[in-house]
Amino acid sequence: MGTRVPQRISVGTEMSSAPEATLDYSTPAERENLERVDDLYQKVIDKKNLDAADEFFGAGFVQHNPLYGEGVAGFKRFVGDFFLGTFPDLTATVDLAVCQNDRVLAHIHWAGHDESGREFELWTADLYRFQDGRAVEHWDVIEYTELVPWGPARPGGPRPRGEFDLNGTPAQLANLDLLTQVAQNVPLQDLSRAHEYFAEDFFQHDRMIRHGLDGFKECCNNFLHLAPDMVVDPRHVVVGSHIVGTIWDWKGHKPGSDVEVVLVNSDCYRIEDGKFTEHWPVVDYTSAIEAYGYHPKDLFQKESS
């Protein structure tokens, strides 16, 4: 099952007593894009209405996940045949979302049961590019290891990358600069400057990782057990006023071999006072499981025991 703790969305910075994530936007247009993503999952998945998908996707919609097929027709077919066909009570909740201009990166919590009553839980990170109020392009990160019991496997082939958007508010561009500094100055193999960028009380939304700066360092060291030469290869970055969202590959090689290990990640970080203070991950561990024959969560649990 997924290792995240589900959140509940609140608009802007409003919070309640229940655990909540934040919709991070800087302009009315960005807020509209965020609301379109939330409406998509409510109307199509929660209300089981495939025809409602037509109002959310533009002509020539480009789908970068071959599992879905092409265009809106492929989206409707896969969602109908697999997701809604397999899990009659399925819900898909926007757990966290950040918008920069025409792009929205959202972390989605999927939950339900199949017809035998077996529980299903999944996390995805979905990146949409909007034009004239409709999604015209889509990329994602999926915890494919959670899909395997029901059939779908991670498709092969390259994962396209996007250019960083260098347009935004001063806060957005400052957050992009901070992320760039972290990527340059805190490689996994040398965490000596991590305290400059990560708060001592760094909060994790992953049950496998301890809270705090020390927990962050333990997590990085566990990844180095999988691949000592592991580096981070950014593919997409979406920066908000206080949240930065990424889709990137953490990749290296199994020790003593040329077997490549690629962890496909979406990591979102809250920034306060110039430091990362909170972290939400979506990770596909398929490559590591294929290379080692076990789930990396077993390594995390062993190291923390």
Side-chain angles (χ1 to χ4, degrees):
M1 292 298 177
T3 59
R4 285 266 294 267
V5 179
Q7 305 293 298
R8 194 177 66 192
I9 284 294
S10 67
V11 175
T13 57
E14 297 172 6
M15 303 293 285
S16 76
S17 58
E20 293 179 342
T22 300
L23 293 178
D24 188 344
Y25 59 89
S26 299
T27 68
E30 289 181 350
R31 174 169 178 160
E32 289 179 6
N33 288 338
L34 289 176
E35 291 175 342
R36 293 292 286 172
V37 171
D38 193 39
D39 286 346
L40 167 64
Y41 291 98
Q42 287 190 36
K43 292 183 178 180
V44 175
I45 305 300
D46 294 356
K47 295 184 178 180
K48 315 297 185 289
N49 182 4
L50 290 173
D51 290 336
D54 294 327
E55 70 179 86
F56 294 100
F57 297 99
F61 170 65
V62 177
Q63 173 63 259
H64 290 291
N65 185 338
L67 200 66
Y68 283 84
E70 296 183 3
V72 65
F75 174 88
K76 291 166 67 174
R77 182 168 52 252
F78 182 70
V79 168
D81 291 349
F82 174 68
F83 280 118
L84 299 183
T86 307
F87 312 105
D89 63 344
L90 184 67
T91 60
T93 304
V94 177
D95 181 64
L96 172 75
V98 55
C99 183
Q100 180 185 9
N101 297 319
D102 61 351
R103 294 174 301 159
V104 174
L105 176 62
H107 284 193
I108 312 298
H109 178 232
W110 306 69
H113 301 80
D114 65 17
E115 292 185 350
S116 69
R118 185 168 44 165
E119 184 179 6
F120 173 71
E121 186 177 26
L122 174 73
W123 294 98
T124 65
D126 293 278
L127 174 60
Y128 295 94
R129 181 172 65 85
F130 280 85
Q131 183 175 325
D132 299 326
R134 291 176 179 260
V136 294
E137 200 165 5
H138 172 251
W139 306 259
D140 61 20
V141 176
I142 295 177
E143 292 182 338
Y144 283 104
T145 52
E146 304 301 331
L147 295 182
V148 169
W150 289 275
R154 185 175 77 177
R159 291 175 297 280
R161 66 179 72 241
E163 295 183 0
F164 291 4
D165 188 346
L166 301 181
N167 297 303
T169 66
Q172 287 173 316
L173 298 184
N175 290 337
L176 176 59
D177 181 64
L178 180 64
L179 180 67
T180 302
Q181 291 182 47
V182 171
Q184 293 174 344
N185 297 328
V186 190
L188 295 177
Q189 293 80 7
D190 181 6
L191 304 177
S192 60
R193 296 185 60 184
H195 65 282
E196 298 178 22
Y197 302 100
F198 293 84
E200 286 290 338
D201 58 352
F202 186 59
F203 189 89
Q204 290 283 357
H205 289 276
D206 187 329
R207 297 188 183 103
M208 295 194 330
I209 307 172
R210 289 197 305 124
H211 299 306
L213 178 60
D214 288 342
F216 167 77
K217 291 180 178 180
E218 287 178 1
C219 173
C220 293
N221 288 330
N222 281 331
F223 282 138
L224 290 179
H225 285 308
L226 299 174
D229 62 343
M230 185 170 284
V231 296
V232 177
D233 180 16
R235 293 187 173 273
H236 305 272
V237 174
V238 179
V239 292
S241 61
H242 55 284
I243 301 287
V244 296
T246 65
I247 292 179
W248 46 19
D249 293 343
W250 293 46
K251 60 184 183 181
H253 296 84
K254 184 177 179 179
S257 76
D258 59 359
V259 175
E260 188 175 42
V261 179
V262 181
L263 304 181
V264 183
N265 282 30
S266 175
D267 292 293
C268 289
Y269 301 93
R270 183 188 300 276
I271 295 175
E272 296 178 3
D273 298 325
K275 286 190 175 183
F276 290 171
T277 61
E278 197 168 0
H279 172 233
W280 297 261
V282 175
V283 187
D284 175 28
Y285 288 104
T286 300
S287 176
I289 293 173
E290 292 173 348
Y292 289 93
Y294 62 83
H295 197 296
K297 68 182 179 182
D298 299 331
L299 175 63
F300 278 67
Q301 292 167 352
K302 178 180 178 181
E303 291 295 317
S304 62
S305 62

